[in-house]
Structures are given as C-alpha cells and as structure tokens.
Amino acid sequence: MTTSLITFLCAIIVLTLTPGFDTALILRTSAAHGWKKALMTEMGINTGCLAWGAAVGLGLGALLLASEVAYNIIKLAGAAYLLWLGIGLLIKPRSHFEDKVNVALERTTYARMFTRGFMGNLLNPKVGVFYVSFLPQFIPAGSSVALWSVGLAFIHVIVGTLWSGILIVSTRYFAEQLRRPAVMKVMDRLTGCVFIGFAAKLAFSRR
C-alpha cells in the first residue's frame, strides 16, 4: 500500500507540472480576475477530477475505452466548449479590470469561474481515459476499487491545488502590469488561441 501511494504521488507530481489546459486557465484567471476567482476555478477543476475518480470507481470510465461512440460524444462536446471559450476571448478581449462590482455580479462571476474549471475538466474524455488506465495500476490487489479511485483522485487534487497556488502567487507579483488595458487584450487573445489549440488537439485526438 505504501509503495503504491509513493509511486502514484511521484507520477502524479510529474504529470501535474506538465503544462496543459488547466495551467493556462489558472494563469489567465489569476491575472485577469485575481487570486480568489483563480482559486474558485481550481476548485472547479478539482471537482471534475473527483467526478472522474468516482466514475472510474463505478466502472463508468471503462465505457470510454469500450465505446467509440461514447468517447467521441464527450470528446466533441469538450472540444466545442474549449472552442467557444477561445473564440469568446478572441472576439471580446477585456481591456480593463472592474474592481467595483455588486454582490450579485460577484456571486455570478465566482459561479462562472467554478463552472469553467469544472466543465473544462469534465468534458475532456482524455482525463477519463487517463484515470481508467492509470489509477488501477496503483490499487492494491483485493482493495476497494471505488474507494481507492476516489482516494487517488483526491491526492491528485491536493497536488494540483498546491501547484495552482504556486502559479497564482507568481502572477500576483505581476498583477499590475498584467491588468494594463493593452496587456489584458493581448493576454486574452493569446489565451483564446491556446484554448482553440487545445480544442483542435482534443477534437482530432485518438484514444
């Protein structure tokens, strides 16, 4: 059990540090909206990881490996979502940061940040395929697959949260420069291109 946990921890740290959609989303949200909303985005991503962990534990993740149709449906939905986010940033990049917002808008914004992180993770079938092919390798024989799947996903969440915290803190040092109108427009458009790139990569990917 100890060997499995240590091995999984080492592997998941390396994978977490590898730049991807989650990293781009966290950095952009932190720079444009502040650390609180970036943290809310990370919570959405974490919830998506736990959902995939639970799905693998219940056997739903195996469906993505067994069914080409199920995989393609989730894959295209995820690609469409990322494409929608990317096009939105390209067409309407932000030029200023609103410091004063009412409570209702603040709540809506936090909810939107959470949803963006959650849906971006949940609609990526490669996460499900990764979990269903990766997690079982670290589950001791005779142990509960459901409990261990969720437990390992939770470890992934902890590692991801620590790494996101480092990313968020690093952007705070450059917050004032990053929130300049010209910089914000460029940053939004670059992030939009990154999201579109991930959408294309996901749409044309194979299991």
Side-chain angles (χ1 to χ4, degrees):
M1 184 181 296
T2 301
T3 302
S4 295
L5 289 174
I6 293 176
T7 306
F8 175 77
L9 183 60
C10 293
I12 208 65
I13 287 176
V14 173
L15 292 170
T16 301
L17 297 182
T18 303
F21 166 73
D22 292 350
T23 301
L25 185 59
I26 291 294
L27 286 174
R28 190 263 173 185
T29 304
S30 178
H33 301 281
W35 69 271
K36 291 182 179 180
K37 294 183 179 66
L39 186 60
M40 184 61 67
T41 301
E42 172 60 20
M43 290 177 63
I45 294 172
N46 290 344
T47 304
C49 288
L50 291 175
W52 275 119
V56 170
L58 295 173
L60 299 179
L63 178 64
L64 294 177
L65 288 176
S67 173
E68 187 77 23
V69 175
Y71 179 87
N72 286 333
I73 289 175
I74 298 179
K75 180 183 73 172
L76 293 177
Y81 180 71
L82 293 180
L83 182 64
W84 175 71
L85 291 179
I87 292 177
L89 290 173
L90 285 176
I91 295 178
K92 294 182 179 180
R94 291 155 51 93
S95 61
H96 63 283
F97 178 77
E98 293 291 344
D99 288 313
K100 297 181 180 180
V101 292
N102 56 49
V103 177
L105 181 58
E106 186 74 8
R107 289 176 179 172
T108 301
T109 304
Y110 277 110
R112 187 178 302 160
M113 295 299 107
F114 177 88
T115 302
R116 183 169 295 179
F118 177 68
M119 295 302 292
N121 189 287
L122 193 66
L123 291 177
N124 187 349
K126 298 188 78 66
V127 177
V129 171
F130 165 75
Y131 267 28
V132 78
S133 60
F134 189 71
L135 296 189
Q137 302 177 46
F138 304 94
I139 299 177
S143 301
S144 171
V145 175
L147 290 178
W148 268 83
S149 295
V150 174
L152 293 176
F154 187 71
I155 293 176
H156 186 192
V157 164
I158 294 175
V159 173
T161 300
L162 292 175
W163 175 236
S164 295
I166 294 174
L167 294 176
I168 292 171
V169 169
S170 66
T171 57
R172 292 189 66 186
Y173 288 104
F174 308 100
E176 292 303 319
Q177 293 298 322
L178 291 172
R179 292 179 183 179
R180 293 171 55 189
V183 176
M184 286 196 70
K185 282 187 176 182
V186 172
M187 184 175 63
D188 275 9
R189 284 172 175 153
L190 286 176
T191 305
C193 290
V194 170
F195 284 3
I196 292 174
F198 279 120
K201 181 180 179 181
L202 179 58
F204 294 103
S205 66
R206 296 183 178 180
R207 289 182 295 177

